[in-house]
PDB file of all heavy atoms in Angstrom:
ATOM      1  N   HIS A   1      -2.312   4.366 -23.898  1.00  0.00           N
ATOM      2  CA  HIS A   1      -1.175   3.613 -24.307  1.00  0.00           C
ATOM      3  C   HIS A   1      -0.431   3.067 -23.100  1.00  0.00           C
ATOM      4  O   HIS A   1      -0.284   3.805 -22.161  1.00  0.00           O
ATOM      5  CB  HIS A   1      -0.222   4.513 -25.200  1.00  0.00           C
ATOM      6  CG  HIS A   1       1.015   3.823 -25.596  1.00  0.00           C
ATOM      7  ND1 HIS A   1       1.139   2.899 -26.610  1.00  0.00           N
ATOM      8  CD2 HIS A   1       2.360   4.031 -25.201  1.00  0.00           C
ATOM      9  CE1 HIS A   1       2.305   2.551 -26.763  1.00  0.00           C
ATOM     10  NE2 HIS A   1       3.131   3.167 -25.906  1.00  0.00           N
ATOM     11  N   GLY A   2       0.141   1.941 -23.226  1.00  0.00           N
ATOM     12  CA  GLY A   2       0.984   1.278 -22.137  1.00  0.00           C
ATOM     13  C   GLY A   2       0.074   0.924 -20.972  1.00  0.00           C
ATOM     14  O   GLY A   2      -0.948   0.281 -21.079  1.00  0.00           O
ATOM     15  N   LEU A   3       0.478   1.375 -19.768  1.00  0.00           N
ATOM     16  CA  LEU A   3      -0.208   1.034 -18.507  1.00  0.00           C
ATOM     17  C   LEU A   3      -1.124   2.110 -18.105  1.00  0.00           C
ATOM     18  O   LEU A   3      -1.685   2.058 -17.008  1.00  0.00           O
ATOM     19  CB  LEU A   3       0.827   0.793 -17.431  1.00  0.00           C
ATOM     20  CG  LEU A   3       1.731  -0.371 -17.588  1.00  0.00           C
ATOM     21  CD1 LEU A   3       2.790  -0.556 -16.356  1.00  0.00           C
ATOM     22  CD2 LEU A   3       1.061  -1.716 -17.775  1.00  0.00           C
ATOM     23  N   GLY A   4      -1.529   3.029 -18.915  1.00  0.00           N
ATOM     24  CA  GLY A   4      -2.379   4.003 -18.618  1.00  0.00           C
ATOM     25  C   GLY A   4      -3.831   3.631 -18.367  1.00  0.00           C
ATOM     26  O   GLY A   4      -4.436   4.303 -17.548  1.00  0.00           O
ATOM     27  N   PHE A   5      -4.271   2.565 -18.814  1.00  0.00           N
ATOM     28  CA  PHE A   5      -5.662   2.088 -18.682  1.00  0.00           C
ATOM     29  C   PHE A   5      -5.805   1.545 -17.078  1.00  0.00           C
ATOM     30  O   PHE A   5      -6.915   1.324 -16.781  1.00  0.00           O
ATOM     31  CB  PHE A   5      -5.985   0.927 -19.629  1.00  0.00           C
ATOM     32  CG  PHE A   5      -5.365  -0.309 -19.356  1.00  0.00           C
ATOM     33  CD1 PHE A   5      -6.053  -1.306 -18.623  1.00  0.00           C
ATOM     34  CD2 PHE A   5      -4.022  -0.667 -19.722  1.00  0.00           C
ATOM     35  CE1 PHE A   5      -5.499  -2.576 -18.361  1.00  0.00           C
ATOM     36  CE2 PHE A   5      -3.541  -1.846 -19.466  1.00  0.00           C
ATOM     37  CZ  PHE A   5      -4.319  -2.813 -18.887  1.00  0.00           C
ATOM     38  N   LEU A   6      -4.663   1.298 -16.444  1.00  0.00           N
ATOM     39  CA  LEU A   6      -4.764   0.790 -15.089  1.00  0.00           C
ATOM     40  C   LEU A   6      -5.334   1.934 -14.077  1.00  0.00           C
ATOM     41  O   LEU A   6      -5.793   1.583 -13.068  1.00  0.00           O
ATOM     42  CB  LEU A   6      -3.472   0.232 -14.586  1.00  0.00           C
ATOM     43  CG  LEU A   6      -3.021  -1.078 -15.268  1.00  0.00           C
ATOM     44  CD1 LEU A   6      -1.579  -1.439 -14.722  1.00  0.00           C
ATOM     45  CD2 LEU A   6      -4.038  -2.158 -14.981  1.00  0.00           C
ATOM     46  N   GLU A   7      -5.204   3.189 -14.472  1.00  0.00           N
ATOM     47  CA  GLU A   7      -5.445   4.247 -13.585  1.00  0.00           C
ATOM     48  C   GLU A   7      -6.976   4.273 -13.216  1.00  0.00           C
ATOM     49  O   GLU A   7      -7.251   4.340 -11.966  1.00  0.00           O
ATOM     50  CB  GLU A   7      -5.063   5.590 -14.138  1.00  0.00           C
ATOM     51  CG  GLU A   7      -5.308   6.717 -13.196  1.00  0.00           C
ATOM     52  CD  GLU A   7      -4.811   8.084 -13.778  1.00  0.00           C
ATOM     53  OE1 GLU A   7      -4.249   8.029 -14.940  1.00  0.00           O
ATOM     54  OE2 GLU A   7      -5.022   9.051 -13.133  1.00  0.00           O
ATOM     55  N   PRO A   8      -7.933   4.196 -14.081  1.00  0.00           N
ATOM     56  CA  PRO A   8      -9.293   4.224 -13.763  1.00  0.00           C
ATOM     57  C   PRO A   8      -9.686   2.932 -12.998  1.00  0.00           C
ATOM     58  O   PRO A   8     -10.512   2.995 -11.993  1.00  0.00           O
ATOM     59  CB  PRO A   8     -10.076   4.369 -15.069  1.00  0.00           C
ATOM     60  CG  PRO A   8      -9.149   3.930 -16.107  1.00  0.00           C
ATOM     61  CD  PRO A   8      -7.731   4.312 -15.628  1.00  0.00           C
ATOM     62  N   ALA A   9      -9.116   1.764 -13.389  1.00  0.00           N
ATOM     63  CA  ALA A   9      -9.340   0.612 -12.700  1.00  0.00           C
ATOM     64  C   ALA A   9      -8.891   0.576 -11.202  1.00  0.00           C
ATOM     65  O   ALA A   9      -9.600   0.182 -10.284  1.00  0.00           O
ATOM     66  CB  ALA A   9      -8.751  -0.608 -13.434  1.00  0.00           C
ATOM     67  N   MET A  10      -7.728   1.129 -10.963  1.00  0.00           N
ATOM     68  CA  MET A  10      -7.146   1.185  -9.699  1.00  0.00           C
ATOM     69  C   MET A  10      -7.912   2.240  -8.845  1.00  0.00           C
ATOM     70  O   MET A  10      -8.244   2.035  -7.647  1.00  0.00           O
ATOM     71  CB  MET A  10      -5.713   1.670  -9.663  1.00  0.00           C
ATOM     72  CG  MET A  10      -4.791   0.603 -10.348  1.00  0.00           C
ATOM     73  SD  MET A  10      -4.872  -0.998  -9.493  1.00  0.00           S
ATOM     74  CE  MET A  10      -4.112  -0.500  -7.944  1.00  0.00           C
ATOM     75  N   SER A  11      -8.450   3.276  -9.496  1.00  0.00           N
ATOM     76  CA  SER A  11      -9.330   4.276  -8.747  1.00  0.00           C
ATOM     77  C   SER A  11     -10.687   3.637  -8.384  1.00  0.00           C
ATOM     78  O   SER A  11     -11.120   3.802  -7.152  1.00  0.00           O
ATOM     79  CB  SER A  11      -9.601   5.431  -9.646  1.00  0.00           C
ATOM     80  OG  SER A  11     -10.451   6.354  -9.060  1.00  0.00           O
ATOM     81  N   GLU A  12     -11.284   2.871  -9.177  1.00  0.00           N
ATOM     82  CA  GLU A  12     -12.401   2.251  -8.869  1.00  0.00           C
ATOM     83  C   GLU A  12     -12.160   1.175  -7.719  1.00  0.00           C
ATOM     84  O   GLU A  12     -13.012   1.046  -6.813  1.00  0.00           O
ATOM     85  CB  GLU A  12     -13.065   1.525 -10.111  1.00  0.00           C
ATOM     86  CG  GLU A  12     -14.367   0.816  -9.800  1.00  0.00           C
ATOM     87  CD  GLU A  12     -14.978   0.182 -11.072  1.00  0.00           C
ATOM     88  OE1 GLU A  12     -14.283   0.393 -12.093  1.00  0.00           O
ATOM     89  OE2 GLU A  12     -16.029  -0.364 -10.967  1.00  0.00           O
ATOM     90  N   PHE A  13     -11.006   0.472  -7.848  1.00  0.00           N
ATOM     91  CA  PHE A  13     -10.692  -0.552  -6.746  1.00  0.00           C
ATOM     92  C   PHE A  13     -10.526   0.148  -5.510  1.00  0.00           C
ATOM     93  O   PHE A  13     -10.928  -0.377  -4.390  1.00  0.00           O
ATOM     94  CB  PHE A  13      -9.426  -1.212  -7.215  1.00  0.00           C
ATOM     95  CG  PHE A  13      -8.881  -2.208  -6.156  1.00  0.00           C
ATOM     96  CD1 PHE A  13      -9.593  -3.394  -5.983  1.00  0.00           C
ATOM     97  CD2 PHE A  13      -7.793  -1.935  -5.498  1.00  0.00           C
ATOM     98  CE1 PHE A  13      -9.104  -4.261  -5.029  1.00  0.00           C
ATOM     99  CE2 PHE A  13      -7.303  -2.798  -4.525  1.00  0.00           C
ATOM    100  CZ  PHE A  13      -7.976  -3.970  -4.278  1.00  0.00           C
ATOM    101  N   LEU A  14      -9.936   1.411  -5.506  1.00  0.00           N
ATOM    102  CA  LEU A  14      -9.716   2.087  -4.267  1.00  0.00           C
ATOM    103  C   LEU A  14     -11.047   2.548  -3.633  1.00  0.00           C
ATOM    104  O   LEU A  14     -11.234   2.457  -2.408  1.00  0.00           O
ATOM    105  CB  LEU A  14      -8.868   3.351  -4.542  1.00  0.00           C
ATOM    106  CG  LEU A  14      -8.550   4.239  -3.382  1.00  0.00           C
ATOM    107  CD1 LEU A  14      -7.776   3.569  -2.261  1.00  0.00           C
ATOM    108  CD2 LEU A  14      -7.781   5.455  -3.884  1.00  0.00           C
ATOM    109  N   ASP A  15     -11.911   2.925  -4.413  1.00  0.00           N
ATOM    110  CA  ASP A  15     -13.206   3.349  -3.986  1.00  0.00           C
ATOM    111  C   ASP A  15     -14.000   2.182  -3.296  1.00  0.00           C
ATOM    112  O   ASP A  15     -14.659   2.306  -2.204  1.00  0.00           O
ATOM    113  CB  ASP A  15     -14.138   3.932  -5.181  1.00  0.00           C
ATOM    114  CG  ASP A  15     -13.641   5.179  -5.593  1.00  0.00           C
ATOM    115  OD1 ASP A  15     -12.887   5.909  -4.850  1.00  0.00           O
ATOM    116  OD2 ASP A  15     -13.989   5.605  -6.789  1.00  0.00           O
ATOM    117  N   GLU A  16     -13.949   0.968  -3.989  1.00  0.00           N
ATOM    118  CA  GLU A  16     -14.635  -0.226  -3.356  1.00  0.00           C
ATOM    119  C   GLU A  16     -13.950  -0.666  -2.089  1.00  0.00           C
ATOM    120  O   GLU A  16     -14.543  -1.032  -1.177  1.00  0.00           O
ATOM    121  CB  GLU A  16     -14.523  -1.320  -4.364  1.00  0.00           C
ATOM    122  CG  GLU A  16     -15.384  -1.090  -5.704  1.00  0.00           C
ATOM    123  CD  GLU A  16     -16.849  -0.899  -5.387  1.00  0.00           C
ATOM    124  OE1 GLU A  16     -17.310  -1.531  -4.348  1.00  0.00           O
ATOM    125  OE2 GLU A  16     -17.514  -0.286  -6.189  1.00  0.00           O
ATOM    126  N   THR A  17     -12.550  -0.427  -1.989  1.00  0.00           N
ATOM    127  CA  THR A  17     -11.850  -0.802  -0.776  1.00  0.00           C
ATOM    128  C   THR A  17     -12.300   0.072   0.254  1.00  0.00           C
ATOM    129  O   THR A  17     -12.473  -0.349   1.469  1.00  0.00           O
ATOM    130  CB  THR A  17     -10.368  -0.716  -1.034  1.00  0.00           C
ATOM    131  OG1 THR A  17     -10.007  -1.619  -2.118  1.00  0.00           O
ATOM    132  CG2 THR A  17      -9.596  -1.129   0.158  1.00  0.00           C
ATOM    133  N   GLU A  18     -12.321   1.386   0.020  1.00  0.00           N
ATOM    134  CA  GLU A  18     -12.909   2.251   1.092  1.00  0.00           C
ATOM    135  C   GLU A  18     -14.396   1.973   1.519  1.00  0.00           C
ATOM    136  O   GLU A  18     -14.615   2.067   2.772  1.00  0.00           O
ATOM    137  CB  GLU A  18     -12.759   3.709   0.566  1.00  0.00           C
ATOM    138  CG  GLU A  18     -11.390   4.274   0.329  1.00  0.00           C
ATOM    139  CD  GLU A  18     -11.362   5.638  -0.287  1.00  0.00           C
ATOM    140  OE1 GLU A  18     -12.439   6.171  -0.520  1.00  0.00           O
ATOM    141  OE2 GLU A  18     -10.330   6.268  -0.330  1.00  0.00           O
ATOM    142  N   THR A  19     -15.138   1.606   0.587  1.00  0.00           N
ATOM    143  CA  THR A  19     -16.508   1.239   1.023  1.00  0.00           C
ATOM    144  C   THR A  19     -16.484  -0.030   1.910  1.00  0.00           C
ATOM    145  O   THR A  19     -17.246  -0.095   2.914  1.00  0.00           O
ATOM    146  CB  THR A  19     -17.350   0.972  -0.314  1.00  0.00           C
ATOM    147  OG1 THR A  19     -17.367   2.099  -1.114  1.00  0.00           O
ATOM    148  CG2 THR A  19     -18.783   0.519   0.114  1.00  0.00           C
ATOM    149  N   LEU A  20     -15.729  -1.029   1.619  1.00  0.00           N
ATOM    150  CA  LEU A  20     -15.542  -2.272   2.390  1.00  0.00           C
ATOM    151  C   LEU A  20     -15.003  -1.869   3.732  1.00  0.00           C
ATOM    152  O   LEU A  20     -15.545  -2.340   4.721  1.00  0.00           O
ATOM    153  CB  LEU A  20     -14.566  -3.287   1.641  1.00  0.00           C
ATOM    154  CG  LEU A  20     -14.353  -4.463   2.451  1.00  0.00           C
ATOM    155  CD1 LEU A  20     -15.589  -5.320   2.718  1.00  0.00           C
ATOM    156  CD2 LEU A  20     -13.257  -5.375   1.666  1.00  0.00           C
ATOM    157  N   HIS A  21     -14.039  -0.965   3.781  1.00  0.00           N
ATOM    158  CA  HIS A  21     -13.458  -0.578   5.088  1.00  0.00           C
ATOM    159  C   HIS A  21     -14.557   0.152   5.925  1.00  0.00           C
ATOM    160  O   HIS A  21     -14.675  -0.040   7.146  1.00  0.00           O
ATOM    161  CB  HIS A  21     -12.298   0.398   4.843  1.00  0.00           C
ATOM    162  CG  HIS A  21     -11.727   0.854   6.151  1.00  0.00           C
ATOM    163  ND1 HIS A  21     -10.960   0.091   6.987  1.00  0.00           N
ATOM    164  CD2 HIS A  21     -11.773   2.110   6.727  1.00  0.00           C
ATOM    165  CE1 HIS A  21     -10.572   0.777   7.995  1.00  0.00           C
ATOM    166  NE2 HIS A  21     -11.017   2.089   7.949  1.00  0.00           N
ATOM    167  N   ALA A  22     -15.398   0.961   5.246  1.00  0.00           N
ATOM    168  CA  ALA A  22     -16.445   1.688   6.051  1.00  0.00           C
ATOM    169  C   ALA A  22     -17.478   0.683   6.558  1.00  0.00           C
ATOM    170  O   ALA A  22     -18.035   0.780   7.720  1.00  0.00           O
ATOM    171  CB  ALA A  22     -17.206   2.720   5.141  1.00  0.00           C
ATOM    172  N   ASN A  23     -17.745  -0.325   5.743  1.00  0.00           N
ATOM    173  CA  ASN A  23     -18.741  -1.376   6.173  1.00  0.00           C
ATOM    174  C   ASN A  23     -18.193  -2.167   7.371  1.00  0.00           C
ATOM    175  O   ASN A  23     -18.960  -2.480   8.351  1.00  0.00           O
ATOM    176  CB  ASN A  23     -19.172  -2.264   5.023  1.00  0.00           C
ATOM    177  CG  ASN A  23     -19.979  -1.559   3.930  1.00  0.00           C
ATOM    178  OD1 ASN A  23     -20.696  -0.510   4.216  1.00  0.00           O
ATOM    179  ND2 ASN A  23     -19.877  -2.078   2.716  1.00  0.00           N
ATOM    180  N   LEU A  24     -16.982  -2.531   7.307  1.00  0.00           N
ATOM    181  CA  LEU A  24     -16.379  -3.254   8.362  1.00  0.00           C
ATOM    182  C   LEU A  24     -16.317  -2.459   9.557  1.00  0.00           C
ATOM    183  O   LEU A  24     -16.476  -2.953  10.690  1.00  0.00           O
ATOM    184  CB  LEU A  24     -14.886  -3.775   7.945  1.00  0.00           C
ATOM    185  CG  LEU A  24     -14.925  -4.848   6.849  1.00  0.00           C
ATOM    186  CD1 LEU A  24     -13.423  -5.100   6.417  1.00  0.00           C
ATOM    187  CD2 LEU A  24     -15.575  -6.133   7.205  1.00  0.00           C
ATOM    188  N   ASP A  25     -16.047  -1.110   9.516  1.00  0.00           N
ATOM    189  CA  ASP A  25     -15.958  -0.277  10.604  1.00  0.00           C
ATOM    190  C   ASP A  25     -17.421  -0.175  11.199  1.00  0.00           C
ATOM    191  O   ASP A  25     -17.522  -0.172  12.518  1.00  0.00           O
ATOM    192  CB  ASP A  25     -15.475   1.163  10.222  1.00  0.00           C
ATOM    193  CG  ASP A  25     -15.214   2.010  11.469  1.00  0.00           C
ATOM    194  OD1 ASP A  25     -14.435   1.704  12.309  1.00  0.00           O
ATOM    195  OD2 ASP A  25     -15.903   3.063  11.474  1.00  0.00           O
ATOM    196  N   GLY A  26     -18.449  -0.168  10.464  1.00  0.00           N
ATOM    197  CA  GLY A  26     -19.779  -0.127  10.980  1.00  0.00           C
ATOM    198  C   GLY A  26     -20.179  -1.386  11.692  1.00  0.00           C
ATOM    199  O   GLY A  26     -20.850  -1.359  12.736  1.00  0.00           O
ATOM    200  N   MET A  27     -19.725  -2.506  11.197  1.00  0.00           N
ATOM    201  CA  MET A  27     -19.945  -3.807  11.830  1.00  0.00           C
ATOM    202  C   MET A  27     -19.232  -3.754  13.169  1.00  0.00           C
ATOM    203  O   MET A  27     -19.800  -4.311  14.126  1.00  0.00           O
ATOM    204  CB  MET A  27     -19.436  -4.979  10.907  1.00  0.00           C
ATOM    205  CG  MET A  27     -20.279  -5.109   9.687  1.00  0.00           C
ATOM    206  SD  MET A  27     -21.968  -5.709   9.952  1.00  0.00           S
ATOM    207  CE  MET A  27     -21.571  -7.364  10.531  1.00  0.00           C
ATOM    208  N   ARG A  28     -17.997  -3.249  13.209  1.00  0.00           N
ATOM    209  CA  ARG A  28     -17.257  -3.156  14.424  1.00  0.00           C
ATOM    210  C   ARG A  28     -18.096  -2.386  15.500  1.00  0.00           C
ATOM    211  O   ARG A  28     -18.182  -2.644  16.704  1.00  0.00           O
ATOM    212  CB  ARG A  28     -15.896  -2.658  14.230  1.00  0.00           C
ATOM    213  CG  ARG A  28     -15.068  -2.597  15.505  1.00  0.00           C
ATOM    214  CD  ARG A  28     -13.698  -2.021  15.155  1.00  0.00           C
ATOM    215  NE  ARG A  28     -13.808  -0.680  14.611  1.00  0.00           N
ATOM    216  CZ  ARG A  28     -14.087   0.403  15.396  1.00  0.00           C
ATOM    217  NH1 ARG A  28     -14.119   0.359  16.695  1.00  0.00           N
ATOM    218  NH2 ARG A  28     -14.175   1.681  14.719  1.00  0.00           N
ATOM    219  N   ARG A  29     -18.533  -1.171  15.102  1.00  0.00           N
ATOM    220  CA  ARG A  29     -19.268  -0.320  15.950  1.00  0.00           C
ATOM    221  C   ARG A  29     -20.526  -0.991  16.450  1.00  0.00           C
ATOM    222  O   ARG A  29     -20.955  -0.813  17.626  1.00  0.00           O
ATOM    223  CB  ARG A  29     -19.581   0.982  15.262  1.00  0.00           C
ATOM    224  CG  ARG A  29     -18.395   1.899  15.052  1.00  0.00           C
ATOM    225  CD  ARG A  29     -18.785   3.315  14.724  1.00  0.00           C
ATOM    226  NE  ARG A  29     -19.579   3.413  13.514  1.00  0.00           N
ATOM    227  CZ  ARG A  29     -19.161   3.556  12.317  1.00  0.00           C
ATOM    228  NH1 ARG A  29     -17.855   3.672  12.187  1.00  0.00           N
ATOM    229  NH2 ARG A  29     -19.840   3.752  11.229  1.00  0.00           N
ATOM    230  N   LEU A  30     -21.275  -1.679  15.543  1.00  0.00           N
ATOM    231  CA  LEU A  30     -22.574  -2.394  15.914  1.00  0.00           C
ATOM    232  C   LEU A  30     -22.137  -3.462  16.976  1.00  0.00           C
ATOM    233  O   LEU A  30     -22.839  -3.767  17.852  1.00  0.00           O
ATOM    234  CB  LEU A  30     -23.120  -3.027  14.644  1.00  0.00           C
ATOM    235  CG  LEU A  30     -24.346  -3.951  14.894  1.00  0.00           C
ATOM    236  CD1 LEU A  30     -25.528  -3.080  15.550  1.00  0.00           C
ATOM    237  CD2 LEU A  30     -24.836  -4.624  13.604  1.00  0.00           C
ATOM    238  N   SER A  31     -21.018  -4.216  16.721  1.00  0.00           N
ATOM    239  CA  SER A  31     -20.573  -5.220  17.660  1.00  0.00           C
ATOM    240  C   SER A  31     -20.293  -4.638  19.078  1.00  0.00           C
ATOM    241  O   SER A  31     -20.723  -5.160  20.135  1.00  0.00           O
ATOM    242  CB  SER A  31     -19.397  -6.003  17.220  1.00  0.00           C
ATOM    243  OG  SER A  31     -18.923  -6.892  18.092  1.00  0.00           O
ATOM    244  N   ASP A  32     -19.757  -3.442  19.042  1.00  0.00           N
ATOM    245  CA  ASP A  32     -19.313  -2.690  20.321  1.00  0.00           C
ATOM    246  C   ASP A  32     -20.711  -2.240  20.925  1.00  0.00           C
ATOM    247  O   ASP A  32     -20.825  -2.389  22.230  1.00  0.00           O
ATOM    248  CB  ASP A  32     -18.484  -1.560  20.019  1.00  0.00           C
ATOM    249  CG  ASP A  32     -17.051  -1.892  19.533  1.00  0.00           C
ATOM    250  OD1 ASP A  32     -16.668  -3.112  19.771  1.00  0.00           O
ATOM    251  OD2 ASP A  32     -16.515  -1.070  18.907  1.00  0.00           O
ATOM    252  N   SER A  33     -21.643  -1.877  20.199  1.00  0.00           N
ATOM    253  CA  SER A  33     -22.855  -1.371  20.851  1.00  0.00           C
ATOM    254  C   SER A  33     -23.607  -2.586  21.439  1.00  0.00           C
ATOM    255  O   SER A  33     -24.184  -2.471  22.500  1.00  0.00           O
ATOM    256  CB  SER A  33     -23.818  -0.749  19.672  1.00  0.00           C
ATOM    257  OG  SER A  33     -23.143   0.369  19.122  1.00  0.00           O
ATOM    258  N   LEU A  34     -23.656  -3.666  20.709  1.00  0.00           N
ATOM    259  CA  LEU A  34     -24.325  -4.901  21.283  1.00  0.00           C
ATOM    260  C   LEU A  34     -23.609  -5.392  22.518  1.00  0.00           C
ATOM    261  O   LEU A  34     -24.217  -5.821  23.484  1.00  0.00           O
ATOM    262  CB  LEU A  34     -24.368  -6.044  20.268  1.00  0.00           C
ATOM    263  CG  LEU A  34     -25.266  -5.785  19.046  1.00  0.00           C
ATOM    264  CD1 LEU A  34     -25.107  -6.849  18.061  1.00  0.00           C
ATOM    265  CD2 LEU A  34     -26.671  -5.644  19.593  1.00  0.00           C
ATOM    266  N   THR A  35     -22.357  -5.429  22.530  1.00  0.00           N
ATOM    267  CA  THR A  35     -21.503  -5.752  23.708  1.00  0.00           C
ATOM    268  C   THR A  35     -21.902  -4.862  24.889  1.00  0.00           C
ATOM    269  O   THR A  35     -22.200  -5.250  26.052  1.00  0.00           O
ATOM    270  CB  THR A  35     -20.070  -5.681  23.420  1.00  0.00           C
ATOM    271  OG1 THR A  35     -19.770  -6.507  22.327  1.00  0.00           O
ATOM    272  CG2 THR A  35     -19.279  -6.140  24.670  1.00  0.00           C
TER     273      THR A  35
END
């Protein structure tokens, strides 16, 4: 009821954001290694 259905969607969005952040961090480390 109400805005309660946003909680699982926001949780999934948070997981995908953390995955994106981890991938970007890996790309940064790879760039540092190549440099």
Side-chain angles (χ1 to χ4, degrees):
H1 180 72
L3 299 178
F5 75 97
L6 291 176
E7 182 178 357
M10 294 301 293
S11 176
E12 185 177 358
F13 177 73
L14 179 62
D15 294 338
E16 296 297 334
T17 304
E18 291 178 353
T19 303
L20 178 62
H21 178 72
N23 293 335
L24 292 176
D25 188 59
M27 293 292 292
R28 182 183 58 80
R29 290 195 298 271
L30 178 61
S31 177
D32 294 341
S33 300
L34 290 175
T35 303

